[in-house]
């Protein structure tokens, strides 16, 4: 009777979305009560003034990989962790990290202009003057080059933008493209430009996207000034991240390195970021058609496409050195299940001073580690091993996390329960993206932490905001569903190797949305002055991040049964399959319609004879797709997930600990060792960064990208592969259910 009652309490609470007081998934009632007490004690420890001190220390000087202060910071973090009694060490790797030797950009025709390529120091902002230690504005992993050609403006440089250019009869072949930042990840812009025959790519920050259109310019306000430029990596990370010379293996001293000329993740053409002050003279000297309305930026000029007459000369030369990187790793041994690891990470390296990105997150992580160390002194002992990681080399290409995880891949596959990542943090709403087996878990933690400004729970605030912002037909679902949905992970921070390569259930968390910032991303002005004037100025949300992520770590580390929940995962997979079917149906209808219009001569009728517009070419209509294997496997997963849920609730406090060994493998089963088509490093079959979006996620990527990229021969093979993985997941849950049922038949403890 008691078992059933416990189950009913859980269901009722979940449906009402009420606080979880007294009932925690994976905990017996007695254990839950103790856990809740410890978590409350933990959340009372983090202090805002300490977060401010860490930030001041870590962002005091530029600290990119290979710089003196990067090493200094790693040693500083290590010393702090040790001073709190934690077992910590630095793990060193060496990786390829190019830095500029020569950079020049000039306009040769029809006027002359020499680009400044310089972010000036500002008297208000003390660290902006640390010139000798700052990396210049550049895109890491651009190849060397010396090229001259006409400029073509390509808007954001996305696949749709190139389709439009083709319709306008404009080719970028032999040209230097000028793209603006935004929409796609920056590395996609030179990748697509090269595929279309361009010889170089310039990327500028238009005031429309993070400049004066959005708010006052720095230092009066938070937005990017006229001479501000965005550094950043253009490594082809959708192929594989990490050290370009050691794909798939850790960059240890004895690792076999592939020669530079065989590396596939460098850009194919030279690429450089510029400010809008440097872009404006080129834009002013473009002829050709006026751009489509959606392509207009916010500079005071009429945007034309070109090509030319503006003609540019770009010269780039880099030093192709390998640099040491310093990951700081701290371990709190598990008292009961030392071989089950719960892992937390945030990077410590920055492009320049990096107060926002990443120090705001790294400071919170550091305070979280201190609070857990403090809690241990009060008598708390985590059941599982907890690992805190401070990564180096995230900015150039997720180097530190990737090399560490590749080095320890075998142990991680066996022992890792979950990975929780954060990066730059701001003010506002809590956001979490990640594995859907952790969706319910994330919701449970969100219900136990209070927003510092509105005083309501973080969960309630997020839910009410989501409802108010949702489309009319989506509101009902948010109100009815016990858990808020979490988005899937793409790429763009250190979780990538954990989820996409190793199949470790992962989350990326942080607070965002109400800070005024974003405009200093990867500039010399993302520093202590900027952060304390425009971002989370009193560190209230930094403390919240420490409290929230720390609670997650504790709750995962102490659970008797790992708190994965699979009905939410199954439900999410059904929504992805529905999306895929719609994608295929819409694409087929669009191609049919366009082919008909081409035959009817519609494009000739619509065309303004004075504009040169090229009608599109007819395309083969894609065949119908058999989604049945995917439908059947997803239904099977739903059934198995519900069965497990029922058995778990019925087990009350008697779930066997051996269950956890199975559950740890649950995310691993969603991977395939052969990886995705053309990119074997990416092994997760449900989540991957898009090949042509970069950071943006593609769910069920093997199938989705085969449809989008019109490779029909691949689709059904990919469907079968995903279906097989889902079936494997269902089998694991069935085995777990049987194990629970056997326990439930035993006499009560
Ligand atoms: Zn970052």
């Amino acid at each position: 009777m008691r078992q059933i009652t416990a189950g009913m309490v859980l269901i009722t609470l979940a449906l009402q979305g009420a606080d979880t007081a007294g009932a925690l998934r994976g905990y017996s009632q007695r254990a839950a009560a103790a856990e809740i007490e410890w978590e409350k004690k933990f959340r009372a420890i983090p202090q805002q003034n300490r977060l401010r001190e860490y930030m001041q220390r870590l962002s005091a000087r530029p600290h990119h990989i290979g710089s003196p202060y990067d090493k200094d910071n790693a040693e500083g973090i290590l010393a702090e962790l040790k001073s709190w009694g934690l077992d910590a060490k630095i793990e060193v790797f060496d990786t390829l990290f190019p830095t500029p030797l020569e950079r020049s950009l000039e306009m040769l025709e029809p006027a002359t202009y020499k680009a400044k390529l310089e972010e000036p120091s500002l008297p208000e902002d003390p660290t902006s003057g640390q010139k000798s230690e700052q990396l210049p504005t550049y895109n890491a992993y651009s190849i060397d080059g010396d090229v001259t050609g006409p400029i073509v403006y390509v808007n954001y440089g996305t696949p749709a933008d190139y389709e439009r250019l083709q319709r306008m009869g404009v080719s970028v072949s032999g040209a230097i493209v000028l793209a603006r930042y935004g929409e796609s990840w920056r590395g996609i812009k030179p990748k697509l430009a090269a595929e279309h025959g361009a010889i170089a790519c310039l990327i500028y920050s238009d005031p429309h996207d993070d400049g004066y259109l959005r708010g006052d310019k720095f230092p009066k306000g938070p937005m990017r000034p006229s001479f501000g430029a965005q550094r950043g990596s253009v490594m082809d990370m959708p192929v594989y991240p990490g050290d370009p010379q050691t794909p798939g293996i850790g960059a240890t001293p004895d690792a076999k390195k592939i020669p530079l000329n065989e590396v596939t993740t460098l850009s194919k053409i030279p690429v450089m970021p510029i400010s809008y002050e440097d872009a404006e003279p080129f834009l002013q000297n473009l002829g050709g058609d006026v751009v489509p309305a959606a392509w207009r930026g916010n500079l005071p000029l009429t945007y034309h496409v070109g090509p030319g007459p503006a003609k540019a000369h770009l010269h780039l030369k880099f030093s192709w050195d390998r640099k040491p990187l310093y990951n700081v790793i701290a371990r709190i041994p598990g008292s009961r299940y030392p071989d089950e690891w719960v892992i937390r990470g945030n990077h410590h390296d920055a492009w320049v001073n990096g107060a926002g990105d990443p120090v705001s997150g790294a400071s919170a992580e550091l305070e979280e580690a201190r609070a857990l160390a403090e809690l241990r002194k009060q008598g708390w002992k985590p059941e599982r091993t907890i690992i805190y990681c401070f990564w180096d080399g995230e900015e150039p290409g997720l180097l530190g996390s990737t090399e560490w995880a590749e080095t320890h891949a075998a142990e991680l596959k066996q022992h890792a329960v979950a990975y929780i990542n954060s990066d730059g943090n701001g003010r506002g709403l809590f956001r979490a993206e990640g594995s859907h087996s952790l969706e319910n878990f994330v919701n449970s933690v969100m219900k136990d932490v209070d927003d510092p400004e509105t005083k309501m729970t973080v969960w309630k605030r997020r839910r009410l905001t989501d409802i108010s912002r949702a489309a009319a037909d989506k509101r009902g679902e948010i109100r009815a569903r016990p858990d808020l949905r979490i988005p899937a992970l793409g790429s763009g921070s250190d979780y990538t190797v954990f989820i996409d390569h190793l199949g470790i259930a992962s989350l990326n968390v942080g607070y965002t949305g109400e800070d005024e910032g974003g405009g200093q991303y990867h500039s010399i002005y993302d520093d202590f002055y900027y952060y304390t004037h425009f971002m989370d100025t009193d560190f209230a949300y930094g403390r919240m991040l420490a409290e929230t992520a720390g609670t997650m770590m504790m709750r995962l580390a102490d659970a008797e049964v790992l708190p994965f929940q699979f009905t939410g995962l199954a439900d999410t997979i059904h929504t992805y399959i529905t999306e895929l079917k719609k994608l295929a149906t819409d694409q087929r209808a669009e191609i049919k319609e366009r082919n008909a219009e081409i035959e009817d001569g519609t494009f000739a009728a619509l065309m303004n004879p004075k504009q040169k517009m090229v009608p599109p070419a007819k395309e083969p209509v894609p065949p119908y797709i058999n989604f049945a294997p995917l439908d059947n496997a997803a239904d099977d997963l739903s059934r198995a997930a519900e069965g497990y849920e029922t058995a778990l609730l019925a087990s009350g406090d008697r779930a066997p600990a051996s269950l956890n060994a199975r559950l740890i493998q649950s995310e691993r089963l969603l991977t395939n060792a052969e990886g995705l088509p053309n990119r074997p490093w990416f092994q997760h079959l449900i989540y991957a960064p898009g090949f042509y979006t970069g950071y943006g996620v593609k769910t069920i990527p093997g199938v989705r990208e085969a449809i989008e990229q019109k490779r029909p021969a691949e689709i059904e093979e990919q469907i079968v592969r995903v279906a097989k993985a889902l079936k494997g997941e269902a089998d694991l849950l069935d085995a777990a259910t049987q194990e629970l049922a056997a326990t439930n038949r035993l006499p009560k403890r």
Side-chain angles (χ1 to χ4, degrees):
M1 249 344 256
R2 191 175 124 237
Q3 295 155 13
I4 295 168
T5 313
M8 284 164 69
V9 169
L10 269 177
I11 290 170
T12 317
L13 287 173
L15 287 177
Q16 292 171 347
D19 289 334
T20 48
L24 286 185
R25 169 178 287 269
Y27 286 79
S28 63
Q29 280 190 343
R30 201 171 32 144
E35 174 69 15
I36 286 165
E37 275 314 299
W38 280 121
E39 288 180 3
K40 279 186 185 150
K41 283 182 188 160
F42 162 78
R43 288 196 294 272
I45 301 173
Q47 293 172 9
Q48 283 154 248
N49 63 337
R50 282 179 173 267
L51 290 167
R52 172 183 284 269
E53 283 162 23
Y54 303 146
M55 179 175 283
Q56 205 154 16
R57 159 73 174 87
L58 295 170
S59 69
R61 286 166 53 191
H63 54 107
H64 53 273
I65 168 180
S67 67
Y69 205 63
D70 174 70
K71 184 168 187 240
D72 199 278
N73 270 348
E75 285 163 355
I77 291 169
L78 179 72
E80 289 277 34
L81 294 167
K82 283 186 167 171
S83 76
W84 302 326
L86 295 173
D87 169 21
K89 62 176 174 183
I90 290 181
E91 288 191 47
V92 187
F93 298 90
D94 77 289
T95 60
L96 183 71
F97 178 57
T99 48
L101 296 172
E102 291 163 30
R103 299 173 308 142
S104 75
L105 170 67
E106 55 197 330
M107 181 156 59
L108 306 175
E109 291 170 19
T112 56
Y113 175 75
K114 185 149 179 53
K116 291 193 185 74
L117 311 180
E118 180 92 42
E119 294 178 303
S121 349
L122 298 171
E124 297 87 340
D125 178 1
T127 62
S128 69
Q130 296 167 329
K131 286 286 154 201
S132 65
E133 291 179 78
Q134 292 166 355
L135 278 175
T137 51
Y138 81 115
N139 287 130
Y141 305 100
S142 159
I143 56 166
D144 293 345
D146 193 309
V147 295
T148 302
I151 296 278
V152 176
Y153 175 67
V154 298
N155 192 30
Y156 294 109
T158 62
D161 292 333
Y162 282 97
E163 267 172 43
R164 184 71 197 232
L165 275 175
Q166 199 182 5
R167 294 287 320 281
M168 293 163 82
V170 177
S171 163
V172 301
S173 182
I176 297 176
V177 304
L178 178 58
R180 54 172 164 157
Y181 266 111
E183 290 291 316
S184 69
W185 173 61
R186 79 179 80 71
I188 298 305
K189 299 170 196 279
K191 177 168 165 169
L192 274 161
E195 286 182 9
H196 288 86
I199 55 170
C201 177
L202 300 169
I203 315 175
Y204 82 103
S205 301
D206 195 282
H208 178 274
D209 298 289
D210 61 7
Y212 55 70
L213 183 74
R214 310 272 159 191
D216 284 321
K217 290 191 286 188
F218 191 69
K220 185 180 175 210
M223 300 319 293
R224 203 180 293 278
S226 59
F227 33 76
Q230 186 193 125
R231 289 160 193 75
S233 178
V234 290
M235 182 194 282
D236 199 354
M237 284 187 262
V239 174
Y240 64 90
D243 176 23
Q245 293 184 285
T246 60
I249 56 166
T252 51
D254 54 343
K256 191 175 151 17
K257 292 166 190 76
I258 60 173
L260 208 50
N261 60 6
E262 285 172 28
V263 168
T264 56
T265 55
L266 307 182
S267 74
K268 302 291 179 279
I269 52 176
V271 44
M272 183 165 69
I274 57 175
S275 66
Y276 66 77
E277 195 176 61
D278 277 340
E280 196 168 349
F282 293 97
L283 287 166
Q284 252 157 1
N285 285 290
L286 282 183
D289 287 346
V290 171
V291 299
W295 288 34
R296 285 175 208 146
N298 218 64
L299 289 168
L301 54 89
T302 304
Y303 287 67
H304 288 258
V305 177
K311 188 175 176 188
H313 172 220
L314 173 69
H315 175 72
L316 289 174
K317 192 168 184 301
F318 301 95
S319 134
W320 292 91
D321 294 341
R322 293 183 68 82
K323 299 271 164 57
L325 65 81
Y326 304 93
N327 290 327
V328 190
I329 312 287
R331 249 171 224 264
I332 304 175
S335 56
R336 205 156 150 208
Y337 313 115
D339 290 335
E340 296 179 8
W341 303 350
V342 184
I343 309 168
R344 173 85 173 91
N346 196 109
H347 68 103
H348 69 76
D349 70 299
W351 276 117
V352 197
N353 299 72
D357 181 7
V359 173
S360 56
S363 303
E365 194 198 7
L366 202 53
E367 185 62 352
E368 204 180 302
R370 186 187 71 86
L372 290 182
E374 197 56 44
L375 207 61
R376 275 174 95 203
K377 288 174 193 158
Q378 297 177 22
W380 173 71
K381 288 194 194 86
E383 308 266 299
R384 296 189 172 76
T385 295
I386 286 179
I387 304 178
Y388 269 74
C389 311
F390 297 83
W391 308 117
D392 199 352
E394 188 270 355
E395 292 296 358
L398 317 176
L399 303 174
S401 54
T402 305
E403 298 316 315
W404 185 82
E406 285 176 345
T407 302
H408 300 290
E411 318 164 71
L412 285 167
K413 279 188 186 172
Q414 204 186 335
H415 303 300
V417 168
Y419 173 71
I420 297 177
N421 188 74
S422 58
D423 202 319
N425 190 56
R427 282 180 59 233
L429 294 168
F430 181 71
R431 59 173 179 80
E433 302 116 47
S435 299
H436 288 88
S437 54
L438 290 171
E439 181 179 82
N440 172 265
F441 170 75
V442 168
N443 275 265
S444 82
V445 173
M446 287 169 76
K447 288 171 188 168
D448 287 346
V449 287
D450 292 327
D451 178 79
E453 289 174 7
T454 63
K455 310 294 177 203
M456 58 177 81
T457 68
V458 158
W459 186 83
K460 186 173 178 189
R461 192 171 182 211
R462 175 92 244 179
R463 181 170 176 271
L464 294 176
T465 310
D466 283 358
I467 291 169
S468 77
R469 289 181 186 166
D473 64 334
K474 299 278 183 219
R475 288 193 188 120
E477 192 207 65
I478 305 174
R479 286 201 169 98
R481 205 169 185 270
D483 288 328
L484 298 172
R485 289 188 185 278
I486 58 170
L489 281 172
S491 184
S493 194
D494 291 304
Y495 50 80
T496 308
V497 69
F498 293 95
I499 182 146
D500 293 332
H501 188 58
L502 298 176
I504 294 165
S506 299
L507 292 170
N508 185 47
V509 301
Y511 286 84
T512 186
E514 287 181 328
D515 42 74
E516 300 178 74
Q520 303 317 323
Y521 178 61
H522 294 181
S523 86
I524 62 170
Y525 314 113
D526 177 9
D527 56 18
F528 189 73
Y529 176 91
Y530 163 74
Y531 197 86
T532 51
H533 279 79
F534 301 110
M535 296 294 284
D536 179 24
T537 53
D538 63 356
F539 295 87
Y541 284 89
R543 195 192 73 216
M544 282 310 296
L545 176 58
E547 289 184 24
T548 315
T551 301
M552 289 180 168
M553 293 296 290
M554 291 179 70
R555 203 169 284 186
L556 281 170
D558 290 339
E560 291 159 298
V561 178
L562 290 169
F564 293 113
Q565 189 247 34
F566 301 93
T567 48
L569 170 69
D571 171 46
T572 303
I573 284 173
H574 277 284
T575 67
Y576 294 161
I577 296 170
T578 305
E579 284 171 21
L580 290 174
K581 289 177 182 168
K582 185 173 184 311
L583 176 69
T585 306
D586 290 354
Q587 188 191 54
R588 196 178 306 110
E590 259 169 50
I591 291 175
K592 270 188 185 166
E593 171 63 23
R594 194 161 58 225
N595 286 353
E597 289 185 10
I598 293 168
E599 268 175 33
D600 294 347
T602 310
F603 291 94
L606 289 175
M607 216 171 335
N608 175 348
K610 291 195 171 162
Q611 275 178 350
K612 53 169 193 338
M613 282 294 273
V614 183
K618 275 177 76 173
E619 276 183 77
V621 179
Y624 287 93
I625 301 165
N626 177 18
F627 283 103
L630 212 42
D631 284 325
N632 288 327
D635 279 359
D636 207 30
L637 181 62
S638 291
R639 177 202 50 74
E642 274 156 32
Y644 173 74
E645 199 66 4
T646 308
L648 183 70
L649 293 179
S651 75
D653 59 359
R654 302 186 311 160
S658 60
L659 193 61
N660 292 321
R662 263 185 228 287
L663 295 176
I664 283 180
Q665 293 302 318
S666 62
E667 192 83 14
R668 246 69 101 212
L669 291 181
L670 301 174
T671 64
N672 181 297
E674 284 171 40
L676 296 177
N678 307 324
R679 40 181 182 149
W681 191 90
F682 284 89
Q683 301 191 346
H684 207 294
L685 297 176
I686 309 299
Y687 317 115
F691 196 74
Y692 288 111
T693 56
Y695 284 172
V697 66
K698 294 287 175 185
T699 52
I700 314 191
V703 179
R704 191 180 297 264
E705 292 196 324
I707 298 172
E708 286 177 349
Q709 296 165 25
K710 298 171 186 167
R711 295 191 303 266
E714 230 170 67
I715 298 172
E716 292 191 4
E717 183 193 321
Q718 290 298 318
I719 284 178
V720 169
R721 182 186 275 199
V722 177
K724 220 169 133 188
L726 296 180
K727 182 75 179 59
E729 188 81 348
D731 290 346
L732 175 137
L733 295 179
D734 284 342
T737 302
Q738 278 166 19
E739 199 176 340
L740 279 168
T743 312
N744 292 348
R745 282 192 298 273
L746 295 174
K748 280 188 193 176
R749 252 186 242 159

